[in-house]
């Protein structure tokens, strides 16, 4: 067996140099073949397999585009202010402050401090969820037979725990996540209907309004009724850009949004970050 010895394992590993697979990071990101931004500005390029996760820290103003390549991705996303993990995405405030449970272009992703973590600047999917969070170990074990991270049916929370640990965060730091590319609607009686995917090629673009840590688990939505664990590849691209400024329609759209942006800028100014 070629890898039965240390030398054999080394030679086998070195033989993989330059090999590519569909689901892997591209390093450096600027080697990505068709960047959606000005040349040299791409800072993150990765394809995340179904049942896997990724994470990154990036600067205020960075834009992040997620694309459902084959129609069965579901990106469960958490955001934390870099260096201040106690300020993190609040799905409750994101919904409550903006009077809207349905994510769409123009909405703000808010922390429980009343500040903007990111803006949803573009959306071709229209199938998202801010209500259900991600799957759990117990639930996946009941549905698929296992939910451990190394299993064939890993739970979203278990993968987010791993991503969190790699950024100095603990399981207790993980709030409910947002889900992109698999939708949910609320019926008049309060029940939730799973609306599924918009199909291959749908994308969303987020713009960071503070320095943020992003955690992403690409796993089936917890309300997905299909008996099999169905999850396909997610494309992740991020590039340097500029944060939202006064006068931008995203800033001026609502009174609640203007207040959230004002809270954000006031806080950043006090720390010398604007």
């Amino acid at each position: 067996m070629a890898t039965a010895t240390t030398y054999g394992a080394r030679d086998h590993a070195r033989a993989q140099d330059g090999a590519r697979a569909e689901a892997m990071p591209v390093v450096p990101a600027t080697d990505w073949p068709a960047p959606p931004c000005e040349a040299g500005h791409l800072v993150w390029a990765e394809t995340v397999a179904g049942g896997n996760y990724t994470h990154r820290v990036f600067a205020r103003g960075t834009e992040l585009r997620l694309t459902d390549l084959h129609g069965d991705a579901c990106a469960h996303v958490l955001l934390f202010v870099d260096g201040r993990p106690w300020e993190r995405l609040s799905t409750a405030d994101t919904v409550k402050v903006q009077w809207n449970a349905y994510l769409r272009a123009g909405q703000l992703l808010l922390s429980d401090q009343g500040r903007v973590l990111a803006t949803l600047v573009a959306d071709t999917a229209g199938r998202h969820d801010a209500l259900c969070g991600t799957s759990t170990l117990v639930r996946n074990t009941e549905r698929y037979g296992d939910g451990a991270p190394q299993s064939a049916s890993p739970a979203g929370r278990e993968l987010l725990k791993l991503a969190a640990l790699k950024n100095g965060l603990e399981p207790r730091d993980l709030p409910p996540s947002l889900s992109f590319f698999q939708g949910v609607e609320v019926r008049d009686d309060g029940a939730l209907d799973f609306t599924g995917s918009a199909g291959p090629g749908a994308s969303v673009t987020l713009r960071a309004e503070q320095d943020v840590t992003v955690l992403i688990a690409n796993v089936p939505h917890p309300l997905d009724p299909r008996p099999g664990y169905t999850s396909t590849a997610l494309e992740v691209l991020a590039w340097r850009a500029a944060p939202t400024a006064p006068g931008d329609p995203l800033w001026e759209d609502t009174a609640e949004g203007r207040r959230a942006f004002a809270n954000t800028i006031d806080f950043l100014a006090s720390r010398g970050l604007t």
Side-chain angles (χ1 to χ4, degrees):
M1 185 175 180
T3 58
T5 67
T6 302
Y7 291 119
R10 180 197 63 187
D11 293 342
H12 175 76
R14 288 179 175 176
Q16 310 310 307
D17 184 37
R20 315 280 311 184
E22 181 190 27
M24 65 181 293
V26 172
V27 181
T30 49
D31 284 351
W32 185 261
C37 59
E38 186 177 340
H41 282 210
L42 202 65
V43 296
W44 187 11
E46 182 172 354
T47 304
V48 183
N52 214 325
Y53 71 97
T54 189
H55 55 94
R56 187 63 63 99
V57 178
F58 47 68
R60 178 173 176 250
T62 301
E63 295 192 356
L64 170 67
R65 190 182 76 185
L66 307 175
T67 302
D68 180 358
L69 292 177
H70 306 298
D72 277 315
C74 188
H76 302 263
V77 175
L78 287 175
L79 297 168
F80 301 81
V81 176
D82 182 39
R84 303 181 62 254
W86 52 89
E87 183 168 4
R88 57 200 180 194
L89 175 69
S90 170
T91 56
D93 287 324
T94 293
V95 167
K96 176 180 66 177
V97 171
Q98 297 175 97
W99 309 95
N100 193 341
Y102 300 110
L103 299 170
R104 59 174 176 79
Q107 282 194 282
L108 314 178
L109 307 186
L110 303 176
S111 76
D112 63 357
Q113 306 296 309
R115 295 188 279 259
V116 188
L117 300 180
T119 49
L120 181 51
V121 299
D123 175 20
T124 69
R127 302 285 182 93
H128 313 303
D129 172 36
L131 302 174
C132 296
T134 192
S135 53
T136 63
L137 177 63
V138 170
R139 179 64 171 153
N140 273 32
T141 301
E142 291 174 349
R143 290 192 64 186
Y144 308 117
D146 201 349
Q150 296 80 19
S151 72
S153 49
R157 182 167 172 81
E158 297 306 299
L159 296 181
L160 290 172
K161 285 180 184 178
L162 295 180
L165 289 169
K166 293 179 180 180
N167 288 276
L169 303 170
E170 300 181 19
R172 66 178 182 178
D173 294 316
L174 300 181
S177 58
L178 298 175
S179 303
F180 293 103
F181 305 121
Q182 300 287 339
V184 168
E185 291 182 352
V186 183
R187 296 203 304 248
D188 290 342
D189 63 1
L192 299 175
D193 283 337
F194 179 70
T195 59
S197 166
S203 68
V204 296
T205 302
L206 308 177
R207 179 186 297 152
E209 305 295 353
Q210 301 190 54
D211 295 348
V212 295
T213 301
V214 60
L215 313 181
I216 303 171
N218 180 25
V219 300
H221 189 280
L223 294 187
D224 190 331
R226 291 173 290 186
Y229 187 94
T230 306
S231 181
T232 56
L234 175 73
E235 181 184 275
V236 181
L237 300 176
W239 56 91
R240 295 194 301 273
T244 306
D248 188 299
L250 291 170
W251 186 299
E252 305 294 345
D253 188 39
T254 66
E256 296 82 13
R258 288 193 296 273
R259 180 64 180 183
F261 274 117
N263 289 343
T264 306
I265 294 301
D266 183 67
F267 174 76
L268 293 175
S270 71
R271 297 171 63 86
L273 299 176
T274 60

